[in-house]
Amino acid sequence: MRDAVTGQPDTGRFDLSRAQPGAPAIMAVINRTTDSFYESAATLDDAITAVADATADGAHIVDIGGVRAGRGREISVAEEIDRVCPTIEAVARSHPHVLISVDTWRHEVAEAACRAGAGLLNDTWAGVDPKLAEVAARFDAGIVCSHTGGLSPRTDAHRSRYGLTAGDVVDETLAGVTELAAAARAVGVPASRIVIDPTPDFGKNTYHSLRLLRELDRFAATGYPVLLAISRKDFVGEAIGDVAPQERLHGTIAATALAIERGAAMIRTHDVRATADAIDVTSAVTGEAVPKHTVRGLR
């Protein structure tokens, strides 16, 4: 069996080193919540079904989260663990080749998730709990270094500290994620286990998020794999008009194709099959991959 991303022999669980510009890995969103902005897998059975569907469509990583990013009722550490860890354990048994990510900012949840089988910590709140990186180092797990403009967890993510011109957002965001990467390395996380995420929409308005995508190659130039998490986000909807999340797929795919061309190594998505198609076509256009079926004009 050969790995779909690199064409190399498949030797086990998907490794972060396989996520590369020109051959981005797909991270499927699996929300173990009841109030996420787009869709949720409210029960364990729903989550397992969602994972099976995502991997069948081409996901290499599944990102399991137990708390919605925005405002909502308080979710304790214990409740978050109860939401995510049974799912992680089940996925580790049923899909051993999939890299399991846990979407959390709390080190207690991260530690329980790693014990359950997670291999990546997706810290979408920019190191607000510095012990999270220590957990990654202790379990030899990967960590995502994000940027939220100084927001506290579960703050309304559209709150921004930057001017509307967005002139400084790229420099500020690049500095933020690379500083977090350096901090993770300082506590023992290898560079090969670090991913950076410019985090559009978090602490940024639509102008900022668009500017980040326009200059995504600057993040790729750091040498760290770049995660792009833009699936059905607000800036996509506002670029089109006053469009709800349910109507943002086409816009998301357009932005995804641009991000692939500019060096994204990992795409976090609610729509795995559409994202896989976007990767195939974009990679064929850029020459990073060959078309998968070429008989047109030959018969």
Side-chain angles (χ1 to χ4, degrees), residues 213-227:
L213 260 70
R214 202 175 304 149
E215 299 189 33
L216 198 69
D217 53 341
R218 291 183 57 189
F219 293 84
T222 64
Y224 293 113
V226 177
L227 167 65

Side-chain angles (χ1 to χ4, degrees), residues 48-66:
I48 298 304
T49 298
V51 169
D53 291 344
T55 56
D57 284 341
H60 312 94
I61 306 164
V62 292
D63 189 36
I64 299 168

Side-chain angles (χ1 to χ4, degrees), residues 172-188:
E172 292 277 355
T173 303
L174 191 57
V177 295
T178 53
E179 286 169 10
L180 282 176
R185 294 180 70 172
V187 298

Side-chain angles (χ1 to χ4, degrees), residues 47-96:
I48 298 304
T49 298
V51 169
D53 291 344
T55 56
D57 284 341
H60 312 94
I61 306 164
V62 292
D63 189 36
I64 299 168
V67 182
R68 67 165 297 180
R71 294 185 184 275
R73 76 171 180 84
E74 177 66 23
I75 305 297
S76 69
V77 167
E79 184 174 358
E80 187 179 355
I81 290 172
D82 285 344
R83 285 183 174 188
V84 300
C85 285
T87 304
I88 292 169
E89 291 172 350
V91 174
R93 290 192 302 269
S94 62
H95 294 81

Side-chain angles (χ1 to χ4, degrees), residues 144-197:
V144 177
C145 298
S146 63
H147 178 272
T148 60
L151 295 183
S152 300
R154 309 198 70 190
T155 306
D156 287 340
H158 64 273
R159 299 297 180 195
S160 169
R161 295 186 176 186
Y162 306 110
L164 288 178
T165 62
D168 57 357
V169 70
V170 178
D171 290 341
E172 292 277 355
T173 303
L174 191 57
V177 295
T178 53
E179 286 169 10
L180 282 176
R185 294 180 70 172
V187 298
V189 181
S192 61
R193 291 283 186 265
I194 295 173
V195 177
I196 60 174
D197 174 9

Side-chain angles (χ1 to χ4, degrees), residues 68-269:
R68 67 165 297 180
R71 294 185 184 275
R73 76 171 180 84
E74 177 66 23
I75 305 297
S76 69
V77 167
E79 184 174 358
E80 187 179 355
I81 290 172
D82 285 344
R83 285 183 174 188
V84 300
C85 285
T87 304
I88 292 169
E89 291 172 350
V91 174
R93 290 192 302 269
S94 62
H95 294 81
H97 288 80
V98 174
L99 176 59
I100 301 171
S101 170
V102 61
D103 182 352
T104 189
W105 74 91
R106 299 193 274 206
H107 76 273
E108 302 95 336
V109 178
E111 181 163 350
C114 287
R115 293 188 186 282
L120 178 63
L121 308 180
N122 184 14
D123 177 14
T124 52
W125 289 103
V128 69
D129 181 349
K131 292 183 180 180
L132 201 77
E134 297 173 10
V135 172
R138 192 159 68 250
F139 285 90
D140 194 28
I143 189 167
V144 177
C145 298
S146 63
H147 178 272
T148 60
L151 295 183
S152 300
R154 309 198 70 190
T155 306
D156 287 340
H158 64 273
R159 299 297 180 195
S160 169
R161 295 186 176 186
Y162 306 110
L164 288 178
T165 62
D168 57 357
V169 70
V170 178
D171 290 341
E172 292 277 355
T173 303
L174 191 57
V177 295
T178 53
E179 286 169 10
L180 282 176
R185 294 180 70 172
V187 298
V189 181
S192 61
R193 291 283 186 265
I194 295 173
V195 177
I196 60 174
D197 174 9
T199 329
D201 270 9
F202 275 59
K204 305 167 187 78
N205 62 32
T206 290
Y207 295 103
H208 301 138
S209 297
L210 294 169
R211 183 70 170 261
L212 288 170
L213 260 70
R214 202 175 304 149
E215 299 189 33
L216 198 69
D217 53 341
R218 291 183 57 189
F219 293 84
T222 64
Y224 293 113
V226 177
L227 167 65
L228 194 70
I230 62 170
S231 184
R232 299 180 182 261
K233 281 192 170 179
D234 286 348
F235 83 92
V236 174
E238 290 194 353
I240 302 167
D242 184 11
V243 178
Q246 291 77 10
E247 303 301 323
R248 296 174 186 170
L249 174 58
H250 297 161
T252 296
I253 294 303
T256 297
L258 176 69
I260 295 164
E261 190 272 334
R262 299 198 177 178
M266 193 180 300
I267 306 294
R268 184 178 184 270
T269 182

